[in-house]
Amino acid sequence: MIKVLFVCLGNICRSPMAEGVFLNKLKERGLTDRVLCDSAGTSAYHIGERPDDRACMTCSKNNIELNHRARQLVEQDFSEFQYILAMDSSNYTNIQKLCKDGMSGCEIRKMREFDDVKDSIDVPDPYYGGISGFDRVFEMLDRSCERFLDYLVEKHQL
């Protein structure tokens, strides 16, 4: 079983959206029994909270339901997941700091490494903006998750 963890700052916007988009793509390809995913935040700001209403609305209009409660990234995640995907450079750095030498056998990557559109390496945080920011993030995550899943299928012969 391949396990993937999507990580942003508070785990209420970008990473639960990525988790929802990715789960939907797994269902479409019949891979839900081969790949599992979850999401987490590098901070403890929103532990136990549901995703932001705007994230839920954006996903809902794309036929994706978000069923997640925010949690913080913990050391155990580095041994449990084969892939940890950071939403931006800041969270990538925070993930690297938490990952002690020799502790991780997982690949730690930035989500947009898998995006065909190369305008930025970061998925911007839509939290302080309007719904259009969430729509833009959804589009980035949709493209990135599609290519990441292609990567997994090829690498692991799924």
Side-chain angles (χ1 to χ4, degrees):
M1 180 70 67
I2 297 164
K3 293 177 123 185
V4 177
L5 184 65
F6 299 99
V7 180
C8 67
L9 182 63
N11 193 217
I12 60 167
C13 295
R14 294 170 291 174
S15 58
M17 288 176 72
E19 177 186 356
V21 168
F22 193 70
L23 282 170
N24 191 55
K25 291 189 179 300
L26 290 172
K27 286 177 194 165
E28 288 173 352
R29 294 200 200 184
L31 294 172
T32 54
D33 61 334
R34 315 266 325 261
V35 182
L36 293 176
C37 71
D38 193 6
S39 63
T42 57
S43 75
Y45 300 141
H46 300 286
I47 291 175
E49 292 180 23
R50 296 211 15 89
D52 185 283
D53 288 342
R54 296 163 296 174
C56 292
M57 284 183 354
T58 300
C59 285
S60 180
K61 65 184 175 183
N62 288 282
N63 299 312
I64 296 170
E65 185 178 342
L66 300 183
N67 293 312
H68 182 78
R69 293 281 180 178
R71 72 176 188 85
Q72 188 172 16
L73 179 71
V74 294
E75 285 184 10
Q76 180 183 342
D77 290 327
F78 295 100
S79 58
E80 184 172 337
F81 293 90
Q82 287 88 2
Y83 298 92
I84 296 180
L85 297 173
M87 294 298 124
D88 61 32
S89 299
S90 175
N91 285 294
Y92 180 83
T93 299
N94 290 336
I95 292 165
Q96 293 285 358
K97 286 178 185 172
L98 183 61
C99 181
K100 295 183 173 79
D101 289 338
M103 186 168 85
S104 176
C106 67
E107 280 188 43
I108 302 170
R109 309 275 295 268
K110 294 178 186 171
M111 184 82 243
R112 289 205 63 200
E113 287 179 43
F114 299 96
D115 192 345
D116 294 333
V117 177
K118 300 297 182 192
D119 59 347
S120 172
I121 195 64
D122 292 338
V123 176
D125 190 346
Y127 186 77
Y128 292 105
I131 195 72
S132 64
F134 284 83
D135 291 335
R136 184 169 170 251
V137 163
F138 183 90
E139 291 168 10
M140 289 175 195
L141 294 174
D142 189 55
R143 291 188 309 262
S144 299
C145 284
E146 186 73 30
R147 295 290 82 73
F148 176 62
L149 187 51
D150 291 344
Y151 170 79
L152 291 181
V153 166
E154 184 176 327
K155 184 173 181 178
H156 297 281
Q157 317 244 316
L158 300 176

